[in-house]
Structure formats: C-alpha cells, structure tokens
Amino acid sequence: MNAPPGHAPLPAVFTLADLKQQLNGDEQAAMELAGRWLESGQVRQVAPPRPVFIRLNGAEPPDEAQLCLALARTFPSVVVVGGSALWRQGVSRQRDALLHCAVAESVDGCSLPGVRLHRRPAGWLEAVSRAGGLRGHLHQLPLLSAEMAVADAALFADVWVPDREHLDPDRLAAEGVAAAQAQLATLREDP
C-alpha cells in the first residue's frame, strides 16, 4: 500500500480521518483512496460501517498487537473474554483458536481474521468493573479476570472456554466465580 503522494506512510491501523488528514482535508479523496485499497485487498475495514482500517501484508494475517489496536480504535468497550482471557492469564493449558472479545456497541460484523466478537448489554462493562472483574491487558485490550471470564461464559454461553480438566484450579477461586456470577445476575436480558 502506497502512501498518498508526498505524505508519510499511514500506520498499520488507521481511520478515515487519518487518511483525510494526509490528503489535506479532502474527504472525498480519502473515501475514494480507502475504497481502492479495500477493493485491491491492501486494507480491511475492521467492522463496517466504522471507519477504522488495518493494513494487510499479503497472505499473512495481522499480528495480535495490530489486531488489538484495531479493536481498541473501533470499539471503546472491547474486553477479552472466555477462554482467550483464561489462556492469557495462565489459568488454562488449552489455547484459543480465535481471540474472543466482548463489546457493548452493536456489531454487524467484524472482518478481522482470528477474532470473534460477542455483543453484551449496555450495563455489562459497568457491572464487570464494579465487581473488579478486569485484570491485566492484552496489548491495549483489558482482560476479564479468570473468575469473571468463567461467570460471563456461564451467563452468556456464547464464548469458547477450555474443558474443565485444562483449567488450573489453584488459579481460579470458586468464591470469586460465585461473586462474579452474583454481579452479572442483574444482566439476564439478552444482548
């Protein structure tokens, strides 16, 4: 992907506003250039209609740091959930095949390879935060604590979780799971 003539190359993850700035504020030119890059396969729009793009390097999928940055720039509420959170905290010996994340925003689709998004109700992130259910980060993305990841997976049943025998019971507190379940019980409405 070439930068617009006379401009510095765009970062791996960029917005339509970034491209517009490179083109001296010309919104139409920015939209046309982004459209050409999309058609040629040089970039992928993270989640249409949101104007966030990720550059593609041929057949290689973007690395995890770039995927996380693209998700963070697209979805302010994004959190790593399910087995993805458990494996990255060392609670699971079974690795995820896809990065599972939850968002409170509406999601019509996510075109990032290796990522699966799950919709959560509007009060979900607030309930998780109140319960102290965030622990650590994967690049820019917050992770659910192990206990909250289990409680969330039990309530919504839409994320991958490892088999029980692949979990480290010394790193997963049963009372913490119960407390997390109690906090999430107020969210029983479907996302």
Side-chain angles (χ1 to χ4, degrees), residues 35-163:
R36 284 196 305 271
W37 287 343
L38 282 166
E39 285 177 19
S40 70
Q42 295 179 65
V43 301
R44 188 174 283 176
Q45 193 167 359
V46 175
R50 292 169 179 87
V52 179
F53 303 88
I54 187 167
R55 285 192 330 215
L56 302 177
N57 298 324
E60 291 182 32
D63 69 24
E64 190 173 74
Q66 291 174 337
L67 290 174
C68 290
L69 176 60
L71 288 168
R73 290 196 73 184
T74 306
F75 301 103
S77 70
V78 67
V79 177
V80 179
V81 297
S84 296
L86 294 170
W87 184 77
R88 283 162 178 82
Q89 293 177 55
V91 177
S92 168
R93 293 181 300 279
Q94 197 174 14
R95 185 177 180 156
D96 55 349
L98 298 171
L99 178 63
H100 288 262
C101 295
V103 296
E105 295 89 356
S106 63
V107 178
D108 293 331
C110 178
S111 65
L112 292 179
V115 174
R116 178 138 184 238
L117 292 182
H118 306 275
R119 176 82 163 87
R120 293 293 182 261
W124 177 80
L125 187 55
E126 183 181 325
V128 166
S129 297
R130 251 192 336 263
L134 300 174
R135 186 164 306 133
H137 287 83
L138 174 64
H139 305 288
Q140 297 85 346
L141 305 184
L143 296 161
L144 283 185
S145 68
E147 293 79 11
M148 187 59 75
V150 170
D152 176 78
L155 177 62
F156 293 102
D158 63 349
V159 297
W160 172 81
V161 289
D163 298 329

Side-chain angles (χ1 to χ4, degrees), residues 7-19:
H7 295 87
L10 289 163
V13 176
F14 63 95
T15 65
L16 191 59
D18 297 330
L19 187 55

